[in-house]
Amino acid sequence: MNKKYLKNVEKINMWNSFMGAVKSVLKYKGFDDISNFELLGISGRAFDFVIGTKCDAGGVTVYDWGSEHFHQLDRVGIYSDFKLNFNNDLNTYRYLQNDCISLIKNYIDKDTPVIIWAPTDILEFGIINGYDDEDEVFFVKDVANDDPDPLLYKNLGFSLVPYLYICFIKDFIKIDNEKAYRTSLAYGVREWNKKFHISKYYSKGLKAYDNLMFSIKEGDFDRFGFKYCLSVYNESKRAIYDYLNYLREKSSSLNISSEVIEIFLEVSSIFSELVLEYPFLGHNDYYIIENKDSLIKKFERLKYIENEGFKILKDDVLKM
């Protein structure tokens, strides 16, 4: 019976749990010289802003994991691969599980932690950093615990959102920085102006604000999801501001104006204020959200100024 455990795999706490897991693997492999905002900015994840019609917590993860993650990591210079299947009572699921178990063990044997969806009952991305064939378990890390219970081989891919998703980081290359800067901003502009998302119940970019305000006005929204989304996107909006400031100094081909910096500073500041006003307290939070008219006005302001910021990026910076 084989057993291997990768020590010194640190849990990186980011609200964007996928990129937090990526950062953990990068740090373990010795590529820890990229900041959180650079990772979110260059990859494009900072620009992903998705809200459902009821503002549920699921909006944060409603996108094409396979395609998006691969291309976002590629922008950073990371070559990756993945397995992704929805476990909707597949007849051959045990075969799929066994193949994935072998793949995971192979990467652990090669001294590389594996990124996985929901390794525990927390519906976030986490990490597998070891295995034990005798007990038939994987050793895992999630966003909340330093040492959660191991994941049984037979439970791989089972959760309340039963996707069997594993991401393998295979290699790293040196990238053309100017190309990375430009393509990341172009991705952000395209996603901001996206008219249709992968689900009719969710909208992305500019239209996400419409869902947000609609859910507040109608009163049919998830308070847990609302506060969770605020916290996740607060991290993203701050990352956009920091990333644009970084590009203003580092980029030799992009002219990032003080005007666009000020716009995204205001966006980040308003989100930070909202998070302080409506902190995420988990499932035991029964606080009733009041002052809805005032809240809607803040989102109307955010929608307007952020749209102005992306117009500048599109027309003046990228000249798309």
Side-chain angles (χ1 to χ4, degrees):
M1 292 291 183
N2 294 323
K3 178 178 181 179
K4 186 162 185 178
Y5 181 80
L6 305 181
K7 298 179 180 179
N8 303 318
V9 177
E10 298 182 23
K11 174 172 61 72
I12 304 296
N13 288 321
M14 292 174 64
W15 281 99
N16 189 298
S17 63
F18 178 77
M19 282 304 175
V22 170
K23 188 76 183 288
S24 295
V25 178
L26 293 181
K27 187 169 185 179
Y28 179 78
K29 299 297 288 185
F31 296 89
D32 59 348
D33 60 344
I34 185 170
S35 66
N36 289 359
F37 78 80
E38 285 177 84
L39 183 61
L40 289 168
I42 295 174
S43 69
R45 277 236 57 79
F47 299 104
D48 287 329
F49 179 47
V50 181
I51 298 289
T53 53
K54 295 185 179 181
C55 202
D56 60 284
V60 172
T61 52
V62 177
Y63 59 92
D64 182 348
W65 297 351
S67 175
E68 290 291 342
H69 289 165
F70 179 86
H71 287 96
Q72 288 172 353
L73 293 181
D74 175 82
R75 290 188 196 104
V76 185
I78 299 171
Y79 179 49
S80 64
D81 198 2
F82 66 94
K83 287 284 187 181
L84 172 60
N85 285 90
F86 183 66
N87 178 20
N88 58 342
D89 196 26
L90 294 169
N91 292 322
T92 58
Y93 189 69
R94 292 301 177 190
Y95 289 94
L96 175 63
Q97 258 191 339
N98 289 336
D99 285 347
C100 289
I101 289 168
S102 296
L103 276 170
I104 294 168
K105 289 164 58 177
N106 182 45
Y107 274 84
I108 298 297
D109 288 339
K110 291 189 294 187
D111 197 38
T112 303
V114 173
I115 299 166
I116 181 174
W117 167 250
T120 66
D121 59 357
I122 298 176
L123 297 178
E124 300 275 5
F125 293 97
I127 294 172
I128 296 176
N129 65 314
Y131 68 89
D132 185 340
D133 280 342
E134 183 174 355
D135 292 333
E136 296 189 335
V137 296
F138 290 116
F139 302 111
V140 301
K141 291 184 180 293
D142 66 21
V143 297
N145 304 303
D146 290 323
D147 188 26
D149 291 336
L151 171 65
L152 291 168
Y153 289 173
K154 67 180 182 180
N155 288 337
L156 185 67
F158 287 97
S159 70
L160 287 175
V161 181
Y163 278 97
L164 174 49
Y165 174 83
I166 43 180
C167 177
F168 312 102
I169 291 182
K170 304 182 74 170
D171 210 344
F172 309 87
I173 63 167
K174 183 174 177 56
I175 60 173
D176 177 338
N177 287 335
E178 292 301 321
K179 175 186 175 183
Y181 302 155
R182 183 169 291 277
T183 56
S184 65
L185 293 187
Y187 171 83
V189 168
R190 287 194 304 272
E191 297 306 295
W192 176 257
N193 292 297
K194 201 167 190 176
K195 297 191 181 301
F196 303 102
H197 197 42
I198 61 174
S199 167
K200 66 179 181 179
Y201 299 107
Y202 296 87
S203 294
K204 194 171 191 180
L206 178 64
K207 288 182 174 296
Y209 278 117
D210 294 333
N211 275 359
L212 188 50
M213 291 185 285
F214 172 80
S215 66
I216 296 170
K217 287 177 183 177
E218 296 299 314
D220 184 17
F221 77 113
D222 183 341
R223 292 196 303 275
F224 172 91
F226 172 72
K227 294 183 178 184
Y228 173 75
C229 287
L230 277 184
S231 292
V232 172
Y233 293 129
N234 177 50
E235 177 183 68
S236 296
K237 303 303 183 183
R238 178 68 195 194
I240 293 174
Y241 166 70
D242 288 337
Y243 183 51
L244 291 174
N245 255 325
Y246 171 85
L247 294 187
R248 193 179 189 191
E249 294 182 5
K250 295 290 185 180
S251 177
S252 60
S253 65
L254 296 172
N255 182 22
I256 307 295
S257 66
S258 57
E259 181 183 6
V260 78
I261 295 290
E262 289 170 3
I263 286 173
F264 283 98
L265 173 59
E266 184 178 352
V267 171
S268 174
S269 298
I270 295 175
F271 263 86
S272 295
E273 292 169 4
L274 287 169
V275 166
L276 289 175
E277 189 174 356
Y278 304 102
F280 178 70
L281 303 174
H283 285 287
N284 293 322
D285 179 10
Y286 300 105
Y287 174 75
I288 301 299
I289 292 176
E290 299 177 341
N291 302 318
K292 291 185 178 181
D293 289 341
S294 173
L295 189 57
I296 289 169
K297 286 181 180 179
K298 288 183 179 179
F299 286 122
E300 286 174 343
R301 173 65 181 170
L302 281 166
K303 178 183 176 181
Y304 173 75
I305 59 173
E306 196 165 359
N307 192 46
E308 291 300 301
F310 277 106
K311 282 181 182 178
I312 294 172
L313 291 178
K314 179 178 183 290
D315 298 336
D316 298 343
V317 178
L318 297 173
K319 303 185 186 305
M320 293 173 66

